[in-house]
Amino acid sequence: MQNPILVLNCGSSSIKYALLSNDSSERVAGLAENLGLDTARIKHTDLNGEKVEISLAGANHQWALQKILGLLADYKPVAVGHRVVHGGREFSHAEKVNDHVLAEVKRLKVLAPLHNPAHALGIEAVERIYPDLPQVVVFDTAFHQTMPAKAYRYAIPKDLYNEHYIRRYGFHGSSHAYVSHRADSLVPHNQANGWITVHLGNGCSITAVYDGKSLDTSMGLTPLEGVVMGTRSGDVDPSLHIHLHRILGYSLDQIDTILNKQSGLLGISGISSDMRTVEQAANEGNEDAKLAIEIFCYKAARYIASLSCALPTFTGLVFTGGIGENSASIRQKILQNLPHFGIKANLDKNAELSRGVEGSFHQADSLLQLWVIPTDEEYQIAKETKEVLGL
């Protein structure tokens, strides 16, 4: 592998990693999970696709990274690109890590308390192990910094925006950037394209992208706003918090746990946050599972319809993410909730698109194009890392 880039996504108890060759044609990848517990381990896939599992009982982030970098030592990475969830208002593009950038990643834990501290741990661990290796941070929020004020401002007192940065930021930026740019490359480019990119997985977000720029998106200050997700509720009445406190005595932390970890597909179905399990139960006649799917698809369609307002030109829809890429039935159900857009889907083609297969499934006379494009956030992060460093 020539001049490979190491991409790291450090979570609170996990590290997802991928090493990509300079042309991204070769890849080594893996996951360190359950960090801090006796069950901590690394699942590693080498260049030939062979898998190995390594036990790291009690390992912390630095210990796990030392092992990961040891597994990759022969490939000699030339730089590290970190996925960072929140970049606040300051960062509109990827940045080379320096003292100021690291301090901002830490400070922004006020907006991403579960994610940004873990990202900072990953950056500091790499610095300790390989102090001369250049590092770049690629922010989930940066792609959405092109949103106009009418899309990102909340209708709340101005001081909350000016002094406390309360606004809509959006997330999944690397995914929306990758699939929208990829869609642009797949269609005639005689004019600017307007896409609605539909990232559906355990986390879900939908974005209006015109001429390569995000104009509006479904997630807001936090990843809780927007559509129904695996365990997140998506949009609810803002007064729900005070209602649950008054009626049931719930604390803010309890309500936060309910809305982020016990709602969504899991909360409605009472079965699982995994769409595959919910679909199976629905096919077996479970009414709660059927309702979970109905709400999931309706709310996704409603956001697609509303986000079309942001686009000067509406070229089509791009589905991605674990559900968006693999569930033809969910794609079809979402489209059935959009009867006024002149969409005509080829159901046979739709059924063929899963397990990493890229392609379109609109009929020739459809007013909107329909695409499935598997996302590649690691590629996008490696690409932006190279751009920042001039590699």
Side-chain angles (χ1 to χ4, degrees):
M1 298 177 77
Q2 284 193 328
N3 298 326
I5 302 293
L6 175 60
V7 174
L8 293 177
N9 181 0
C10 295
S12 58
S13 62
S14 65
I15 302 172
K16 186 179 180 183
Y17 63 92
L19 188 75
L20 284 74
S21 61
N22 189 50
D23 62 359
S24 300
S25 62
E26 297 178 299
R27 189 175 306 205
V28 178
L31 172 69
E33 60 184 359
N34 302 330
L35 298 180
L37 302 176
D38 290 340
T39 54
R41 59 185 177 178
I42 293 176
K43 295 179 178 179
H44 181 79
T45 303
D46 68 17
L47 200 57
N48 300 315
E50 295 183 9
K51 301 180 186 298
V52 63
E53 189 171 303
I54 302 163
S55 176
L56 290 176
N60 59 17
H61 282 74
Q62 184 170 348
W63 182 4
L65 271 172
Q66 285 177 321
K67 187 64 178 179
I68 291 166
L69 290 169
L71 290 168
L72 304 174
D74 290 344
Y75 300 108
K76 296 180 173 57
V78 297
V80 180
H82 293 266
R83 179 214 178 197
V84 175
V85 164
H86 223 302
R89 293 194 302 188
E90 179 174 352
F91 299 111
S92 58
H93 49 75
E95 295 277 354
K96 185 177 180 180
V97 173
N98 56 32
D99 291 343
H100 168 69
V101 170
L102 179 56
E104 283 297 290
V105 170
K106 291 180 177 179
R107 184 183 68 81
L108 287 165
K109 71 180 181 181
V110 298
L111 295 176
L114 295 179
H115 297 93
N116 273 40
H119 303 320
L121 282 174
I123 294 167
E124 291 175 327
V126 172
E127 280 185 341
R128 284 191 290 267
I129 299 167
Y130 286 117
D132 297 325
L133 198 61
Q135 300 187 77
V136 170
V137 286
V138 179
F139 299 98
D140 262 13
T141 51
F143 181 64
H144 301 296
Q145 286 296 298
T146 52
M147 289 193 298
K150 66 181 181 181
Y152 70 71
R153 286 286 295 272
Y154 288 116
I156 57 176
K158 187 178 179 180
D159 288 349
L160 291 174
Y161 169 70
N162 288 337
E163 298 176 20
H164 302 286
Y165 314 110
I166 306 300
R167 52 158 284 180
R168 304 182 68 250
Y169 288 98
F171 299 90
H172 292 147
S174 294
S175 177
H176 291 294
Y178 175 80
V179 299
S180 59
H181 294 160
R182 177 63 181 161
D184 279 341
S185 74
L186 293 171
V187 302
H189 212 59
N190 55 352
Q191 63 178 17
N193 291 305
W195 301 104
I196 291 185
T197 52
V198 186
H199 180 112
L200 304 176
N202 188 54
C204 302
S205 63
I206 302 175
T207 297
V209 184
Y210 178 72
D211 197 19
K213 297 179 177 63
S214 172
L215 297 185
D216 201 355
T217 192
S218 59
M219 286 180 168
L221 175 71
T222 75
L224 182 59
E225 184 180 344
V227 296
V228 173
M229 309 177 215
T231 63
R232 296 186 188 121
S233 64
D235 292 343
V236 295
D237 187 326
S239 292
L240 178 62
H241 292 71
I242 193 68
H243 179 78
L244 291 176
H245 174 69
R246 285 173 175 165
I247 302 301
L248 298 174
Y250 289 170
S251 68
L252 286 177
D253 285 342
Q254 285 177 299
I255 298 167
D256 183 66
T257 297
I258 290 169
L259 297 181
N260 275 291
K261 298 181 179 180
Q262 299 172 359
S263 298
L265 289 174
L266 174 63
I268 303 166
S269 72
I271 296 169
S272 176
S273 62
D274 191 314
M275 180 61 83
R276 293 166 296 187
T277 303
V278 176
E279 282 195 288
Q280 180 179 344
N283 291 336
E284 293 170 354
N286 185 293
E287 294 300 325
D288 289 333
K290 290 180 183 179
L291 180 60
I293 292 170
E294 186 177 353
I295 293 174
F296 180 92
C297 294
Y298 172 70
K299 293 297 178 67
R302 192 171 77 170
Y303 252 101
I304 290 169
S306 65
L307 286 171
S308 70
C309 297
L311 295 174
T313 300
F314 194 176
T315 308
L317 303 174
V318 181
F319 290 91
T320 194
I323 299 171
E325 295 169 23
N326 293 298
S327 180
S329 62
I330 294 299
R331 294 193 295 261
Q332 182 179 345
K333 287 183 173 71
I334 290 172
L335 296 177
Q336 287 171 347
N337 282 287
L338 294 165
H340 308 302
F341 287 83
I343 297 170
K344 294 184 180 180
N346 183 319
L347 300 185
D348 291 334
K349 284 186 177 180
N350 183 36
E352 296 170 359
L353 296 172
S354 66
R355 300 184 179 277
V357 177
E358 176 184 272
S360 63
F361 63 101
H362 50 274
Q363 296 183 25
D365 58 344
S366 178
L367 294 185
L368 294 180
Q369 296 185 31
L370 303 171
W371 288 87
V372 173
I373 299 179
T375 193
D376 194 342
E377 293 173 89
E378 289 82 10
Y379 170 88
Q380 185 68 25
I381 292 170
K383 175 177 176 287
E384 294 186 36
T385 297
K386 289 187 288 186
E387 290 171 351
V388 167
L389 298 175
L391 298 176

